[in-house]
Amino acid sequence: MMMRVATFALSDQMISSALRVQSVMANEQVQESSGLKSEDFGGYGSGAGRVINLQVSVTRAQSYIDAAKLADSKVQVMYSAVGTMTDIITQLRTQLSAATTGSGTATASVVNYAQQALSQMDGLLNTQYNGEFVFGGASTSTTPVDLTSFATGTGSLTTADTSYYAGDGEIASVRVSDNQTVSYGVTADNSAFEQVMRVLKFVGNSTSLSASDISSALDLASSALDATSTVQAKLSTAAAQIESASASQSDYQSFAQTLSTDLSSVDVAAVTAQLSTYQAQLTASYSAIAKIQGLNLASYLR
């Protein structure tokens, strides 16, 4: 009786199965080395959109954090400068009070102090951070205060004078989230600073100070002190808002990064264990294929 051993179909089926296992192994070997489910978004299937959105959110949050950090640094510089201004006007009040006694020495001292303080105010209002003038509005590259013409004459204690200011009226602000913007800027022509400049100019350029002049200067100095303290308080509030918003963005960024990692990462230990199983399976498949392919009619008949 003639017999025919047909091994082709079985062999082809086993080879196809082995190749599928080999393909899965290759993919999991990449996952094991990278720790990611896929090297491109196509490998995430229906979850690709969520992963992309989360990664975009993380990047956007970082941009808000960076902007807030820069703005906060500017606010700190401005706060420090305004703090020095309050010290200046406080000292001026002290010296004006001393001059109320009518002492010539005390009067000369307060005039001399006012001249020096006016020059100091020039430097404070031209404060720079990272190469930008912080009290000049949007004109950050132009010196906002010039005393060349302002410092001549006594001017008036009752009439505002911002002729020293060369900046614009733009108030700096920073976007700290998709729906929140914090205004923090203050320009050198602010009423508080103008009052300081006005009283310093009057006192510093006076050849003599009458009791009435000293009294009026004291009143303006007191008003200037209250105003600069208010500016400083507003800067403090702005700094708190910026720092709070930045912290919220950091918290969200951490959450989004964790969720994105959970969606895109694999359990390396689990993948390694699966690879061992597939390796054993593939070895057995190749062994079986080799045995089947080694069969022939002659060996079967022996």
Side-chain angles (χ1 to χ4, degrees):
M1 179 178 176
M2 298 288 294
M3 293 187 63
R4 178 172 167 272
V5 180
T7 60
F8 177 78
L10 181 58
S11 177
D12 183 62
Q13 183 179 356
M14 294 189 70
I15 290 172
S16 296
S17 178
L19 289 174
R20 283 195 298 271
V21 172
Q22 193 172 26
S23 175
V24 173
M25 280 188 64
N27 183 57
E28 293 203 351
Q29 284 171 339
V30 172
Q31 291 181 347
E32 182 184 35
S33 62
S34 67
L36 300 174
K37 291 180 180 178
S38 175
E39 293 185 310
D40 55 60
F41 291 115
Y44 295 116
S46 60
R50 293 185 67 193
V51 174
I52 292 172
N53 289 337
L54 285 168
Q55 291 183 357
V56 169
S57 295
V58 168
T59 301
R60 184 167 57 244
Q62 186 60 52
S63 70
Y64 287 138
I65 292 170
D66 292 342
K69 187 175 182 179
L70 177 60
D72 186 55
S73 295
K74 289 182 179 179
V75 172
Q76 299 303 328
V77 169
M78 296 165 78
Y79 184 90
S80 177
V82 176
T84 302
M85 294 178 201
T86 61
D87 292 340
I88 287 173
I89 200 66
T90 297
Q91 181 62 23
L92 178 68
R93 287 180 61 197
T94 299
Q95 296 211 21
L96 282 170
S97 295
T100 57
T101 61
S103 166
T105 300
T107 300
S109 178
V110 70
V111 168
N112 181 64
Y113 175 77
Q115 292 171 349
Q116 295 177 4
L118 188 61
S119 177
Q120 191 176 1
M121 283 293 295
D122 178 37
L124 290 169
L125 293 175
N126 284 324
T127 295
Q128 289 179 280
Y129 175 76
N130 201 27
E132 297 183 348
F133 293 99
V134 297
F135 292 113
S139 303
T140 57
S141 60
T142 304
T143 305
V145 171
D146 182 1
L147 299 184
T148 303
S149 58
F150 175 82
T152 59
T154 59
S156 169
L157 284 175
T158 57
T159 304
D161 181 5
T162 58
S163 60
Y164 60 85
Y165 186 60
D168 57 38
E170 186 72 22
I171 301 300
S173 62
V174 58
R175 181 172 289 278
V176 291
S177 72
D178 291 345
N179 53 14
Q180 183 184 8
T181 298
V182 178
S183 295
Y184 65 87
V186 55
T187 53
D189 64 341
N190 182 278
S191 174
F193 306 151
E194 184 278 325
Q195 291 180 61
V196 176
M197 298 291 280
R198 194 193 328 160
V199 69
L200 289 176
K201 174 182 177 178
F202 180 84
V203 175
N205 289 332
S206 295
T207 55
S208 62
L209 288 170
S210 65
S212 176
D213 289 338
I214 293 174
S215 177
S216 296
L218 267 172
D219 289 341
L220 182 55
S222 296
S223 175
L225 180 60
D226 290 342
T228 52
S229 296
T230 298
V231 169
Q232 197 172 28
K234 288 181 178 179
L235 287 171
S236 179
T237 299
Q241 291 176 332
I242 292 170
E243 290 166 7
S244 176
S246 180
S248 296
Q249 288 295 332
S250 294
D251 290 342
Y252 172 75
Q253 185 184 54
S254 178
F255 164 76
Q257 283 176 328
T258 300
L259 186 55
S260 177
T261 298
D262 290 343
L263 291 172
S264 60
S265 299
V266 295
D267 185 336
V268 176
V271 170
T272 301
Q274 286 180 334
L275 278 171
S276 297
T277 300
Y278 285 133
Q279 181 65 49
Q281 183 180 338
L282 194 60
T283 300
S285 296
Y286 284 149
S287 178
I289 291 169
K291 185 173 292 186
I292 290 173
Q293 289 182 337
L295 292 176
N296 56 66
L297 184 58
S299 60
Y300 178 77
L301 294 174
R302 280 200 299 269

